[in-house]
Amino acid sequence: MRQDYSTYTDEEVFLLVKKGDNDAFGEIFRRFWQELLDAAYRRVKVQETAMEMVQSLLVNLYIKRDKIVLSSSLRNYLHISLKNKVLNAIRAEVVRNGYQQHALAERNVYQPDAATALQLKELQEQIDASCAEMPEKCREVFYLSRKEHLSYQHIAQRLGISVNTVEKHMVKALKILRSRLKEYNFTLFWLLVIVLLGWEIFSKF
């Protein structure tokens, strides 16, 4: 029979979690899930992203329970941790967008000479041949990113998969490309990939 925690404060329940009481962790989950989800959604405006943040936050609370020392209330600790997660996500997005803006600027001034143009054409043909050998879902993700220029979030929504799965397919696609294009030296290969496919793909590898 599950213990009744209704008379326990949040901090008392967390002390039980630290002692290994899994039911107590379930109580914390029930008390704070919706509250934290609402707070996350107000900041990120994407339900799936908000859910992932809160789930990660609560899982980390359990994993690190032995090391966590509350200096105030558990509620305050959770909301500060959530705020930090959101800020970190925003910083990561700013950095990513900065890379994209830099790549666009570079591509606007980049004019390949005849020799490089020929290499680009050859690489394009080999990329097309390599794509034909990719697993179906991997190839589909790669094409949506490359030809339709969709973000990982939009690809995930289009295919009904997670963003993490999209990233795994893209990494797999690039590994296949590198394996097929061994004759290109490493620096030249990535330069041409950025020109043909964009900085976002390179930055995820």
Side-chain angles (χ1 to χ4, degrees), residues 68-158:
I68 294 174
V69 177
L70 298 178
S71 57
S72 57
S73 69
L74 177 63
R75 172 172 279 102
N76 191 48
Y77 172 86
L78 290 172
H79 279 276
I80 290 175
S81 297
L82 178 62
K83 179 181 178 181
N84 289 336
K85 272 188 173 295
V86 172
L87 290 175
N88 288 337
I90 292 173
R91 291 190 190 102
E93 182 69 14
V94 168
V95 171
R96 188 177 72 85
N97 288 338
Y99 282 143
Q100 290 178 333
Q101 291 297 324
H102 175 73
L104 287 173
E106 290 295 322
R107 289 171 69 179
N108 287 336
V109 301
Y110 177 71
Q111 296 294 332
D113 57 26
T116 302
L118 179 60
Q119 287 180 315
L120 286 172
K121 181 180 178 181
E122 292 175 349
L123 179 60
Q124 181 70 70
E125 292 172 351
Q126 294 197 45
I127 286 176
D128 290 339
S130 299
C131 288
E133 297 183 0
M134 293 178 184
E136 180 180 356
K137 186 64 69 173
C138 180
R139 181 171 62 252
E140 187 175 8
V141 167
F142 184 78
Y143 276 144
L144 287 174
S145 176
R146 172 188 169 197
K147 292 188 177 297
E148 297 190 26
H149 307 291
L150 297 182
S151 68
Y152 286 6
Q153 182 70 40
H154 288 149
I155 294 173
Q157 292 173 354
R158 172 84 67 88

Side-chain angles (χ1 to χ4, degrees), residues 170-172 174-175 178 190 200-205:
M170 287 301 300
V171 169
K172 185 174 183 178
L174 288 180
K175 286 182 178 179
R178 282 195 62 192
W190 283 118
E200 181 178 1
I201 292 177
F202 173 81
S203 67
K204 290 292 184 180
F205 186 72

